[in-house]
Amino acid sequence: MAPSYLLLRGVSRGDMAAKVLTMEATPTQGRLVPIPFTLIYDLASIQPNHIDSVSA
């Protein structure tokens, strides 16, 4: 079974495409939600005045 991909994106800019800050592959092994996950990212890429989004 193919893994699910988790994305952390910076979505603050309405006039630009969302910037992918990190992406992780998470094997689901046939499980249904909720599925525990961990996203590893560079703390410097997170801006306190921006909006970010996690999606799968």
Side-chain angles (χ1 to χ4, degrees), residues 33-55:
V33 294
I35 297 172
F37 65 91
T38 301
L39 285 174
I40 299 170
Y41 59 92
D42 178 10
L43 188 56
S45 68
I46 304 298
Q47 302 296 318
N49 59 338
H50 287 189
I51 299 170
D52 300 310
S53 169
V54 175
S55 62

Side-chain angles (χ1 to χ4, degrees), residues 4-39:
S4 291
Y5 291 92
L6 300 161
L7 300 169
L8 173 61
R9 296 181 213 172
V11 295
S12 291
R13 302 279 312 258
D15 60 337
M16 296 177 60
K19 179 181 176 185
V20 176
L21 303 174
T22 191
M23 181 172 75
E24 299 281 337
T26 301
T28 59
Q29 300 168 336
R31 293 177 294 174
L32 299 176
V33 294
I35 297 172
F37 65 91
T38 301
L39 285 174

